[in-house]
Amino acid sequence: MLRAVIRPLLVALLLSVSPLPMGAQETATLVADRLEIAADSRLIAEGGVEVFYQGRRLKAARIVFDRASDRLLIEGPITLTENDGSIIILASQADLASDLTEGILTSARIVMDQQLQMAAAQIRRSGGRYTQLDRAVASACRVCEGSTTPLWEIRARRVTHDQLEQQIYFDHAQFRLAGVPIFYIPRLRMPDPTLERSSGFLNPSFVNSTAHGSGLRMPYFQTLGASRDLTITPYVTTQGTRSVELRYRQAFRNGRIEVTGAVARDDLLPGDTRGFVLASGDFALPADFTLRFRGEVVSDDAYYLDYGVEAKDRLDSRLEVSRTRRDEHISARLIGYQSLRNGEVNATLPSLVSDFTFQRRFTLGTIGGEGGLRFQTHSHYRTSEDGSDVNLDGIADGRDLSRASVRIDWRREWLLPGGIIGAVLGEASADVYQISQDDIWAGQRSRTHGAVAAELRWPWVKATTSGATHLVEPVAQLIWSPKTPEGLPNEDSALVEFDEGNLFSLNRFPGSDAVEAGVRANLGIGWTRFDPDGWSMGVTVGRVLRADDLTQFGPASGLDGSQSDWLAAARITMKDGLGLTGRVLFDDGLDATKAEMRLDLSRDRYGLSSSYVWAVADTLENRPFDTAELVVDGHYDVTGNWTVSGQSRYDFAASRASRAGFGVAYRNECIRVDLSLSHRFTSSTSVKPNTNFDLSVDLLGFGSGGEAGPARVCRR
């Protein structure tokens, strides 16, 4: 209580002994338990001394201020905190200038951003900018009691920290691991932990693969101002691979761009220069529009898989301008495709595609209900000029097509007696096609189509004594549309999915080239349970009945025939991170046509993501064989520091795995080690099975790129 009362008096005495400029007087503060003025020129403060000056905070046991020399003689333990607390200096005693910017501290150490520590017998400060340590040790690792050896450390004859540039310079540096010298560097520069971006070498990674042999990636990061940077990564292996990878990034006031690429020479394709370029970006435009672009080109079909860039077999480059508002969506895009698949010839594929879409929702005033309008244009171009189907895929090899479409839809609901919800809905569309280089479909063609439907929903809701809520809702739709719409070539609606999302749709074709025709009924029932503990589950069962079988759908869709397969779908969502979704299509004999299941589990210590799909063969979907595949990806935190992970893709139809991988990661307060092993089993004329082994080691505490893990536990 006494100390709190005398603090203002101590500040006044300090200013009277050592007059300061007016600006400094407003910020200088001293607090102590006892204060003594000796010989009219010395101020002695003792007991819990604290000094606050120009953002710095000094704590000590005793301070002697000599007005004649303008020096502070300080006895510890001493704690000097700079500005925002990012740098803390601890020492046993010090001789400093009165503004705390210059002087000598003995038996001292520096703690930066609560990560990196540097210790020395003596620390010299100068100019308020440089801190110099002689015969110093630097480490971000915790040292347990009874041990003097950190997991890793850098010993140097001299260490200089430039506080303005946020850089640390080591002279005659020696890197030690568990106390064992590993290598020596005459000069070493590292960013301090408070610096977000700095030019210099990044952490290397060691790679071993059956395709390239053993190799080293050594990235170098170069800043090009406050908004640009360039990363250059040489890659050299024992089997003759020589590669340089580049990444350029630039931020603008209203967007950003990123360009990556590589140039390589290897023994996989001797004499060939291989590589890729990928450019992407997005910008905010006036009137809430957004511009996005992506450009991608690769030298050969196998490059991505050989160098582990991406597991893609089709590339797409696009330029898109779009805007999405509450009741409106506008999009214009230009897309270029390049196939890397074996057996696909780019000349016979739509290599250039353009689309424009305008879509709007609105209410219909006195008529009631909600309506929608969609206007769309589409064009695609093939480089082939052959109007016949030489490759026998059902499409003319050189077909070029342009289309303009307009569609309107409307829906209105009424509440009927007994809680039944009745609705009337419908849609109408018109399409105009211009087709060239097709011996069968060439010329201008058009189509009009429409559908009207009546719908009944009867939701039943029940709340139990436990607080759970059950919702049961049977739904019936009766739909009429023309039985024989004008025929048009179908390219964008070949793959049809039948699930709970489109069970009650008027048209289940995903694109515009095909429309669902004929009189039909969509029937189904759904049940959902909402539990007060935060979990829920739901089940949907339904099917489609048709007056006539118009042979519009393939067998894998589950929609062929006058009666569709039964659709059964279920989902479970738990508040602890478990999500399970599954659906199956089966006929009256319980023979399945398609089955899908997805499991997602996210917990504090582990996570699992898995999906399974099975579908019968369907030539309309270009799948001559049954499909059965399982994908699993998961991780488990064995301890706070150790994490194991694994992933696999297994093809049951071929009775073999297509890829598998395993990883181990260790992370603590000062180091991160990632070790991974992956194998690709698939092969073709352009790619071969390959095994990759990757090892990367990151020393945490330098720069701001590495997030520290849990500190190691000291054992007694």
Side-chain angles (χ1 to χ4, degrees):
M1 208 47 164
L2 175 62
R3 180 177 177 182
V5 172
I6 66 174
R7 283 181 179 177
L9 299 177
L10 295 177
V11 174
L13 288 171
L14 174 66
L15 296 180
S16 65
V17 172
S18 177
L20 297 171
M22 183 60 66
Q25 289 182 26
E26 297 173 354
T27 58
T29 305
L30 180 143
V31 178
D33 291 333
R34 293 185 301 278
L35 183 66
E36 177 185 350
I37 301 175
D40 295 331
S41 63
R42 300 178 68 211
L43 175 68
I44 303 173
E46 295 179 316
V49 182
E50 294 187 54
V51 177
F52 303 90
Y53 183 70
Q54 293 184 348
R56 300 181 182 90
R57 180 180 181 180
L58 174 65
K59 298 176 65 176
R62 185 173 187 266
I63 294 180
V64 177
F65 173 68
D66 190 333
R67 180 181 181 184
S69 61
D70 198 29
R71 306 291 293 181
L72 291 172
L73 301 178
I74 309 171
E75 297 178 7
I78 301 170
T79 303
L80 175 60
T81 305
E82 291 280 353
N83 299 323
D84 57 357
S86 59
I87 299 178
I88 301 174
I89 299 178
L90 307 173
S92 60
Q93 61 183 20
D95 181 355
L96 298 175
S98 61
D99 59 2
L100 310 179
T101 60
E102 297 192 25
I104 298 175
L105 299 94
T106 58
S107 299
R109 60 190 176 103
I110 302 175
V111 181
M112 296 185 179
D113 204 30
Q114 298 184 357
Q115 295 183 56
L116 182 65
Q117 298 187 49
M118 297 188 296
Q122 187 179 89
I123 294 179
R124 186 183 303 274
R125 290 172 56 82
S126 61
R129 171 178 176 177
Y130 299 102
T131 302
Q132 180 179 303
L133 300 84
D134 295 324
R135 297 184 300 278
V137 178
S139 179
C141 301
R142 180 181 182 183
V143 179
C144 296
E145 185 178 352
S147 173
T148 59
T149 305
L151 182 60
W152 66 261
E153 61 183 329
I154 299 177
R155 291 180 175 267
R157 184 179 301 173
R158 177 175 296 174
V159 177
T160 303
H161 176 228
D162 188 335
Q163 193 168 335
L164 181 61
E165 297 293 334
Q166 298 171 281
Q167 297 287 333
I168 304 173
Y169 300 90
F170 297 84
D171 289 336
H172 299 283
Q174 184 186 86
F175 177 77
R176 295 188 177 189
L177 186 63
V180 179
I182 303 299
F183 54 82
Y184 166 81
I185 304 176
R187 293 278 296 175
L188 177 64
R189 176 180 61 85
M190 303 285 281
D192 76 24
T194 64
L195 184 61
E196 295 184 358
R197 299 171 69 248
S198 175
S199 298
F201 285 100
L202 304 180
N203 291 304
S205 60
F206 301 91
V207 182
N208 181 277
S209 71
T210 55
H212 301 282
S214 300
L216 175 67
R217 282 190 170 95
M218 179 65 75
Y220 182 84
F221 181 79
Q222 177 65 53
T223 59
L224 302 173
S227 61
R228 298 180 296 164
D229 57 57
L230 175 67
T231 304
I232 305 172
T233 306
Y235 175 42
V236 180
T237 74
T238 57
Q239 293 186 6
T241 298
R242 301 292 184 268
S243 173
V244 176
E245 302 167 7
L246 302 172
R247 185 191 68 178
Y248 174 80
R249 301 184 302 178
Q250 183 168 357
F252 300 88
R253 189 179 302 274
N254 62 334
R256 58 97 198 170
I257 62 171
E258 180 174 331
V259 182
T260 59
V263 178
R265 303 273 289 189
D266 55 46
D267 291 340
L268 300 176
L269 294 177
D272 290 351
T273 299
R274 311 177 67 189
F276 80 101
V277 176
L278 170 61
S280 63
D282 53 79
F283 291 87
L285 302 179
D288 297 330
F289 280 97
T290 300
L291 168 67
R292 296 183 178 89
F293 70 87
R294 174 187 174 91
E296 189 172 16
V297 63
V298 67
S299 60
D300 56 86
D301 295 351
Y303 180 86
Y304 272 4
L305 291 178
D306 285 345
Y307 284 84
V309 179
E310 283 189 87
K312 295 179 63 175
D313 54 10
R314 282 179 177 165
L315 311 183
D316 62 286
S317 301
R318 61 181 62 210
L319 176 67
E320 182 176 5
V321 177
S322 63
R323 181 180 74 185
T324 301
R325 291 178 172 175
R326 177 181 175 88
D327 297 316
E328 178 188 82
H329 173 72
I330 302 174
S331 173
R333 61 183 183 176
L334 183 66
I335 308 174
Y337 289 101
Q338 177 187 356
S339 176
L340 307 180
R341 294 183 179 181
N342 285 322
E344 287 191 344
V345 180
N346 281 289
T348 63
L349 297 176
S351 56
L352 187 62
V353 178
S354 64
D355 287 310
F356 172 78
T357 301
F358 172 81
Q359 192 165 356
R360 186 171 181 82
R361 307 298 301 173
F362 49 84
T363 56
L364 295 178
T366 56
I367 299 178
E370 184 181 78
L373 169 67
R374 187 188 73 180
F375 174 74
Q376 188 178 67
T377 64
H378 167 84
S379 297
H380 62 250
Y381 167 78
R382 292 177 169 87
T383 57
S384 173
E385 297 181 357
D386 196 334
S388 61
D389 184 12
V390 177
N391 59 8
L392 301 178
D393 64 350
I395 302 173
D397 292 353
R399 179 196 291 167
D400 298 331
L401 181 148
S402 296
R403 169 179 54 83
S405 304
V406 61
R407 188 192 74 180
I408 58 173
D409 62 80
W410 171 70
R411 177 187 179 94
R412 184 176 179 183
E413 297 182 350
W414 292 269
L415 181 61
L416 304 178
I420 299 175
I421 300 175
V424 175
L425 59 157
E427 66 178 24
S429 62
D431 306 277
V432 178
Y433 283 71
Q434 181 64 48
I435 305 172
S436 60
Q437 296 183 167
D438 189 322
D439 296 343
I440 299 175
W441 296 99
Q444 187 178 88
R445 297 177 177 270
S446 62
R447 178 187 64 199
T448 57
H449 182 75
V452 294
E455 177 183 286
L456 293 177
R457 294 176 177 266
W458 196 5
W460 309 335
V461 180
K462 179 181 179 180
T464 64
T465 55
S466 64
T469 301
H470 296 262
L471 171 63
V472 178
E473 186 178 43
V475 182
Q477 281 183 340
L478 181 62
I479 305 169
W480 177 91
S481 60
K483 184 183 298 186
T484 55
E486 294 86 344
L488 291 169
N490 179 14
E491 292 193 53
D492 67 0
S493 298
L495 300 177
V496 181
E497 295 289 338
F498 180 34
D499 55 34
E500 64 274 28
N502 61 17
L503 173 61
F504 303 106
S505 295
L506 301 185
N507 182 16
R508 274 169 278 262
F509 284 103
S512 298
D513 289 346
V515 291
E516 195 167 352
V519 177
R520 56 199 180 275
N522 299 331
L523 306 175
I525 185 171
W527 167 71
T528 305
R529 183 186 194 276
F530 300 96
D531 194 90
D533 290 336
W535 65 271
S536 65
M537 67 179 300
V539 176
T540 301
V541 178
R543 76 184 313 184
V544 180
L545 305 178
R546 303 181 187 279
D548 301 287
D549 179 11
L550 303 179
T551 64
Q552 289 186 288
F553 299 95
S557 68
L559 292 166
D560 61 326
S562 58
Q563 297 181 348
S564 75
D565 289 343
W566 285 96
L567 165 67
R571 61 170 179 81
I572 299 176
T573 303
M574 309 294 291
K575 69 175 183 178
D576 59 359
L578 172 64
L580 179 63
T581 303
R583 64 180 61 89
V584 62
L585 302 177
F586 56 90
D587 59 21
D588 291 335
L590 300 182
D591 293 327
T593 301
K594 182 181 292 185
E596 299 174 78
M597 180 175 291
R598 180 170 183 85
L599 170 68
D600 291 292
L601 179 62
S602 178
R603 299 286 175 84
D604 292 338
R605 293 190 58 182
Y606 58 90
L608 177 66
S609 178
S610 177
S611 63
Y612 172 80
V613 61
W614 181 87
V616 297
D618 192 343
T619 55
L620 294 179
E621 296 184 359
N622 197 25
R623 288 188 298 102
F625 306 103
D626 292 348
T627 297
E629 193 171 68
L630 173 68
V631 178
V632 179
D633 189 346
H635 74 274
Y636 177 71
D637 294 337
V638 182
T639 66
N641 303 110
W642 289 94
T643 301
V644 295
S645 61
Q647 55 277 331
S648 178
R649 180 185 291 269
Y650 190 85
D651 188 340
F652 288 94
S655 299
R656 60 176 173 81
S658 57
R659 74 168 188 262
F662 176 77
V664 178
Y666 175 81
R667 186 184 65 175
N668 62 20
E669 77 283 358
C670 66
I671 194 171
R672 180 175 59 229
V673 181
D674 287 299
L675 176 66
S676 64
L677 178 67
S678 62
H679 183 76
R680 187 183 69 244
F681 297 87
T682 55
S683 62
S684 66
T685 57
S686 59
V687 297
K688 298 179 181 179
N690 184 33
T691 301
N692 281 326
F693 173 84
D694 295 277
L695 173 64
S696 64
V697 180
D698 295 339
L699 300 181
L700 306 181
F702 296 103
S704 59
E707 181 180 351
R712 291 170 297 158
V713 177
C714 295
R715 297 181 179 179
R716 297 182 179 179

